[in-house]
Amino acid sequence: MSARSGNRVPPVPSPGFSDDEIQRALSEDRPVEPSLGFQARVMRRLRSDAELPPLALPWKRFVAALVAAFGALAMAATVDPDLLQATARPGLLFPTVVLLVLAARCTIRSRLASEMAASRGQDSTAG
């Protein structure tokens, strides 16, 4: 049994327009034009987004995390000198780089989200 044969969804009533009016409007070959002021609103939003300051990368946090990671590795190496040789293997380089990239991506993404939320908050209070 196909999904179309027995499970028909009833048409959604359109507020203010009959089915005939909708069909007539859709069958006409008139060019579609944006509503009045649409272009001005879009351009105003683009200009306001262009005026936002560039995102600053959290270099201080990144460097602090890097120093902490190397510090922890150095402390572990003083306890067990063979540990440093084990971490220098090429097989561990790729996962380490992947983890660092993922941490940087998450940090940048959360910063971007907070910046966008702040700019949206300014837009809703201004308009």
Side-chain angles (χ1 to χ4, degrees), residues 80-104:
D80 185 9
D82 293 333
L83 182 66
L84 195 56
Q85 280 184 328
T87 57
R89 286 186 293 174
L92 292 178
L93 180 63
F94 181 73
T96 305
V97 170
V98 167
L99 288 175
L100 286 173
V101 168
L102 285 176

Side-chain angles (χ1 to χ4, degrees), residues 105-126:
R105 180 181 175 267
C106 290
T107 303
I108 291 169
R109 188 174 186 165
S110 66
R111 177 66 183 240
L112 236 169
S114 65
E115 291 284 333
M116 288 178 68
S119 81
R120 284 189 185 136
Q122 290 172 352
D123 287 348
S124 64
T125 57

Side-chain angles (χ1 to χ4, degrees), residues 23-90:
Q23 289 301 324
R24 190 171 2 101
L26 291 174
S27 65
E28 292 178 3
D29 287 334
R30 286 189 322 195
V32 178
E33 297 177 9
S35 61
L36 294 174
F38 175 76
Q39 181 182 5
R41 285 192 308 269
V42 169
M43 293 307 294
R44 186 172 40 246
R45 179 62 191 242
L46 286 174
R47 285 187 193 105
S48 71
D49 285 351
E51 292 171 358
L52 291 175
L55 294 176
L57 293 176
W59 289 110
K60 291 179 184 177
R61 289 183 184 175
F62 177 73
V63 170
L66 203 58
V67 167
F70 281 119
L73 185 61
M75 288 177 64
T78 58
V79 173
D80 185 9
D82 293 333
L83 182 66
L84 195 56
Q85 280 184 328
T87 57
R89 286 186 293 174

